[in-house]
Amino acid sequence: MMASMSSQSPATLTILLIVSDSVIRSVLRDMLDSAGYLVITARDVGDAVDRMKECRPDLLVIRPQISSMPGHDAAVYLRTKIPGIPVLIVGGLPDDDRILNRETAERFEIFPKPFQSSELLEKVKEVLAPRSSPVAGD
């Protein structure tokens, strides 16, 4: 499924947006929705697990802190439900090499604020793009 994403339009791609703050969740949902993505929202990890039972998202977009859990811990856990799913952590992260190194080790994408909506949408496209070139003859 991952390899065919480049030929899919945003409307065929589902993003699971996990944000505790209702205002930020609404703004990000509207931004992604207006670009044509199917956006499913969750306020915490439990909510996200419930949503993942209903559909299989193509991307997790998560804030650095979800309720009382760090976003990267939540993403690691959620990847046990859908191994290899791309993760985009959006927002401010502490300037801490241990966190940044962990994001690299877990292969999460980080998109720090401040940003314009067009920049976020471009980053989402980049993260959803296939990770490797198609094999000749495919």
Side-chain angles (χ1 to χ4, degrees), residues 9-17 24-41 59 61 117-118 120-122 124-125 128:
S9 69
T12 63
L13 297 170
T14 301
I15 296 174
L16 178 54
L17 176 65
I24 295 171
R25 186 172 57 243
S26 179
V27 168
L28 290 174
R29 181 194 61 228
D30 291 349
M31 191 182 304
L32 294 165
D33 185 58
S34 70
Y37 295 102
L38 173 59
V39 182
I40 298 171
T41 61
L59 173 66
V61 175
S117 62
S118 61
L120 175 62
L121 295 174
E122 190 59 38
V124 166
K125 276 191 219 176
L128 284 168

Side-chain angles (χ1 to χ4, degrees), residues 35-51:
Y37 295 102
L38 173 59
V39 182
I40 298 171
T41 61
R43 65 185 175 282
D44 57 33
V45 175
D47 200 17
V49 169
D50 289 343
R51 300 296 180 268

